Amino acid sequence: MDINAVSKASGLPASTLRFYEEKGLIQSCGRKGLRRMFDSGILERLALILLGRKSGFSLDEIRAMFYSGRKQIDRALLSAKANELDKKIKELTSMRDGLRHAARCPAPDHFACPKFLRLLRIAGKNRSRRSIRNNG
């Protein structure tokens, strides 16, 4: 398949396909004129990359996991990512519930509502943790 056909079939722009090739995630099998050509398994590989991205893996993690020459995906890494997603789901669920409460809270002032103040404290703690993690 040429790059335009892969782009149409995958929904990814050709620039993304070229970037993925630069990063070592996919490999063209040659050229037809100026156009890159890809083998028939390219759409499956792109689906794996997209699944990895949606699951929160970096492109470097995906390349290491899926393209290390092994046919097996690192199960420990998958489990660790699933645990991260569970933690994120809990945080987002708590935030959603707090926002819904704030939307219907009978208190005349949100800053007089204990549940809303607890939501603000949680948000502040999460921001502090991210700041420490990103800077530390």
Side-chain angles (χ1 to χ4, degrees):
M1 297 175 77
D2 76 20
I3 195 167
N4 286 336
V6 173
S7 178
K8 286 179 185 170
S10 68
L12 295 170
S15 60
T16 298
L17 299 173
R18 287 188 293 273
F19 178 72
Y20 284 175
E21 188 174 19
E22 252 178 55
K23 295 284 284 178
L25 292 164
I26 61 174
Q27 187 175 9
S28 61
C29 59
R31 291 188 179 265
K32 186 174 186 179
L34 296 176
R35 293 184 183 198
R36 288 173 169 86
M37 300 298 291
F38 295 92
D39 66 32
S40 60
I42 188 66
L43 296 178
E44 184 178 275
R45 286 191 297 274
L46 290 171
L48 279 171
I49 293 167
L50 293 175
L51 176 63
R53 293 297 291 152
K54 287 183 178 187
S55 298
F57 288 100
S58 70
L59 291 178
D60 290 335
E61 288 172 323
I62 293 168
R63 183 182 64 241
M65 210 168 39
F66 297 137
Y67 301 99
S68 62
R70 299 182 319 245
K71 289 287 184 183
Q72 295 294 317
I73 298 171
D74 185 336
R75 292 174 192 266
L77 190 55
L78 292 177
S79 184
K81 187 57 74 173
N83 291 339
E84 281 180 37
L85 289 172
D86 281 340
K87 184 178 177 184
K88 188 66 171 176
I89 288 167
K90 286 179 185 176
E91 288 175 4
L92 290 171
T93 300
S94 177
M95 296 294 289
R96 179 206 59 206
D97 293 347
L99 291 172
R100 285 194 174 142
H101 171 78
R104 65 178 184 276
C105 181
D109 177 1
H110 285 100
F111 293 97
C113 173
K115 196 166 189 174
F116 184 73
L117 292 175
R118 191 168 50 247
L119 174 68
L120 292 179
R121 280 194 303 275
I122 291 169
K125 285 179 186 175
N126 288 339
R127 182 175 175 203
S128 296
R129 283 187 207 131
R130 276 193 304 272
S131 177
I132 290 168
R133 210 175 329 158
N134 293 336
N135 295 325

